[in-house]
Amino acid sequence: GDSVTQMEGPVTLSEEAFLTINCTYTATGYPSLFWYVQYPGEGLQLLLKATKADDKGSNKGFEATYRKETTSFHLEKGSVQVSDSAVYFCALSDRGGTYKYIFGTGTRLKVLA
Amino acid sequence: GAVVSQHPSWVICKSGTSVKIECRSLDFQATTMFWYRQFPKQSLMLMATSNEGSKATYEQGVEKDKFLINHASLTLSTLTVTSAHPEDSSFYICSARDVTGTGDYEQYFGPGTRLTVT
């Protein structure tokens, strides 16, 4: 079945450092891909998305490119801030009619001042 | 736009009682809503898919009689945890898909409900 694999956390960075959180997927079709962010005690907020190969999603300085050839959707940010500390989830949505999401395990990011 | 609310945001109940959690889409209609459970520091586990006007589809291993789901309208789905026990304590999150979805299959998430069973 479809699956999402994320890099293990936690990731600890200094402010203004470069961030990469790896995400790879396996899917039988052509899923849509998402990054969600979860702050402590809160629900999930959509960070960015991409619906087809080579699409680049971007928001708040974060970027991710849908790479079909490597089945990847890595999240990047050039300069992180303390306020970016959160848990980041990669997800795919099947297009087979059920609209289910499959989530990665989540990666906790901690940014130090 | 695309706001999903949950009520209550947190609830404490005694073992053996039932608790109902509401999930509402505030500014759009949702034929499909999803219920997830999240354990501390873990990912989201899909419990069931709720379709308006029909029975929910439960994921393998989720007890239907334990977690009752009702999707009575295009803007409301409810999850009732029946005869709750301490092991049911968790963070429950719902999401909804806009019925006019453009095809990019995005779900909109509620803020979650923290359930503590004592």
Side-chain angles (χ1 to χ4, degrees), chain B residues 29-42:
Chain B
Q29 293 182 323
T31 52
T32 305
M33 291 183 170
F34 302 87
W35 286 96
Y36 296 86
R37 184 172 180 177
Q38 185 180 32
F39 292 101
K41 299 186 178 181
Q42 293 189 27

Side-chain angles (χ1 to χ4, degrees), chain B residues 26-76:
Chain B
L26 298 184
D27 51 2
F28 66 99
Q29 293 182 323
T31 52
T32 305
M33 291 183 170
F34 302 87
W35 286 96
Y36 296 86
R37 184 172 180 177
Q38 185 180 32
F39 292 101
K41 299 186 178 181
Q42 293 189 27
S43 189
L44 280 73
M45 180 192 79
L46 179 65
M47 299 175 65
T49 302
S50 168
N51 294 295
E52 187 266 337
S54 64
K55 291 184 178 180
T57 303
Y58 290 81
E59 295 299 301
Q60 193 171 11
V62 177
E63 298 177 60
K64 300 178 184 181
D65 296 331
K66 174 79 171 170
F67 299 100
L68 300 178
I69 291 171
N70 183 28
H71 193 155
S73 75
L74 285 173
T75 59
L76 173 64

